[in-house]
Amino acid sequence: MNPSSSSKLTVLLKPFLLSLFLSMFFFAQSPFLRLKTALQTTKTAPSNGATLRIRRGYTSYNAYIERQLNKTLNPKLRKIWTTRDWDRKIKVFAHFFQSLKKRNLVFNGSKALSIGARVGQEVAAMKMVGVSDAVGIDLVPYPPLVMKGDFHAQPFQNQAFDFEFSNVFDHALYPWKFVGEIERTLKPGGVCVLHVAVTRRADKYSANDLYSVQPLLELFKESELLEVRKVDAFGLDTEVVFRKKKMIKN
């Protein structure tokens, strides 16, 4: 190639290379990419084979709590939860709890807890189907259905409940503490039901991503797995049922 041809090729390539550079630069600055990088999440299981992944980005436990409160205290969301969503969610939760009653997993006489209950639709639904001794906990109380409590350190004595339900496992920064507190406060023979997202990704306020039920089997050290089934539960797709063992072997 002679110098003249080389010069012409350089002139032709300059606009293309400049365009390519600018495209890569603006893509790197896009809000989508920044958000994706900040959350450190993927839509498929991590390549290292992990099936429970804690999201990065929390500099302290207080920072985690503050982020959770950003959702829980959002006035628009709270208005939706207590108005247009109220009856609809109670109806759906009542269907789930009625099904659990038919399968002898919860009873009218059960002392029941809803973990991460927000404004208490789950609690209201339990009462609707006859489980009258029911209460919820959340970072922000909503009396009389929901009292203040952190699910990493439940404000209850050991072996306080016959039944515990939660659909906020994905919000646990320390899943082992979340599960440990359930097993601490469940009576021997008590039942825990979790609604989790396995095939779908959880929301932007989630603190972990679950890619199979296997990590739950490992976390519930004092319980036996009873059921795993598919559900359609407000973005969550899997129902997992555990029963706390009556005799714990040393």
Side-chain angles (χ1 to χ4, degrees):
M1 183 179 291
N2 60 48
S4 177
S5 298
S6 177
S7 177
K8 289 180 180 180
L9 181 60
T10 301
V11 171
L12 290 173
L13 283 176
K14 276 185 177 179
F16 170 77
L17 293 173
L18 179 60
S19 176
L20 179 61
F21 172 79
L22 290 174
S23 296
M24 292 175 67
F25 174 81
F26 286 119
F27 177 72
Q29 302 304 312
S30 70
F32 170 77
L33 187 62
R34 290 201 304 271
L35 178 61
K36 183 178 179 182
T37 302
L39 295 179
Q40 293 290 307
T41 61
T42 59
K43 290 189 176 182
T44 57
S47 58
N48 62 5
T51 52
L52 176 60
R53 183 174 182 176
I54 306 301
R55 295 188 181 184
R56 302 174 185 175
Y58 296 109
T59 57
S60 66
Y61 192 68
N62 285 339
Y64 157 78
I65 292 294
E66 183 178 349
R67 180 164 178 77
Q68 297 304 310
L69 288 174
N70 283 342
K71 179 177 183 179
T72 306
L73 289 175
N74 185 304
K76 291 183 179 179
L77 288 176
R78 292 187 77 81
K79 183 176 181 180
I80 291 172
W81 295 337
T82 55
T83 54
R84 76 182 192 199
D85 268 7
W86 183 258
D87 290 336
R88 178 177 68 90
K89 287 197 171 183
I90 289 177
K91 182 177 180 180
V92 174
F93 283 126
H95 172 77
F96 287 131
F97 295 133
Q98 192 65 51
S99 173
L100 292 168
K101 285 183 67 177
K102 290 180 180 178
R103 285 140 57 200
N104 294 319
L105 297 171
V106 63
F107 305 91
N108 284 353
S110 297
K111 186 173 183 179
L113 174 66
S114 176
I115 302 165
R118 292 182 186 164
V119 293
Q121 293 105 328
E122 302 98 314
V123 181
M126 281 192 261
K127 292 178 180 291
M128 178 182 289
V129 301
V131 185
S132 58
D133 191 0
V135 69
I137 58 169
D138 206 291
L139 292 173
V140 179
Y142 193 78
L145 299 176
V146 181
M147 61 183 292
K148 184 176 181 179
D150 182 344
F151 51 54
H152 290 109
Q154 289 186 22
F156 306 109
Q157 295 181 351
N158 296 348
Q159 302 181 12
F161 297 98
D162 303 293
F163 176 82
E164 298 192 25
F165 170 82
S166 184
N167 57 8
V168 297
F169 176 82
D170 59 294
H171 287 261
L173 183 61
Y174 306 122
W176 51 96
K177 288 187 177 181
F178 179 93
V179 172
E181 284 297 277
I182 291 174
E183 292 194 317
R184 180 183 68 79
T185 57
L186 262 183
K187 297 177 182 178
V191 170
C192 171
V193 176
L194 298 182
H195 284 178
V196 297
V198 175
T199 61
R200 306 174 186 176
R201 294 282 49 83
D203 67 29
K204 66 181 182 179
Y205 292 96
S206 299
N208 71 71
D209 291 293
L210 186 68
Y211 297 92
S212 81
V213 299
Q214 183 60 38
L216 297 177
L217 305 184
E218 297 168 5
L219 289 169
F220 277 86
K221 300 180 184 300
E222 299 180 8
S223 305
E224 57 182 344
L225 177 68
L226 296 183
E227 296 179 7
V228 177
R229 67 174 194 150
K230 294 297 180 185
V231 293
D232 184 6
F234 308 112
L236 306 178
D237 53 47
T238 304
E239 181 177 86
V240 189
V241 183
F242 290 92
R243 187 188 303 279
K244 184 176 177 180
K245 297 173 184 177
K246 293 185 178 181
M247 295 293 293
I248 307 300
K249 296 181 181 180
N250 294 326

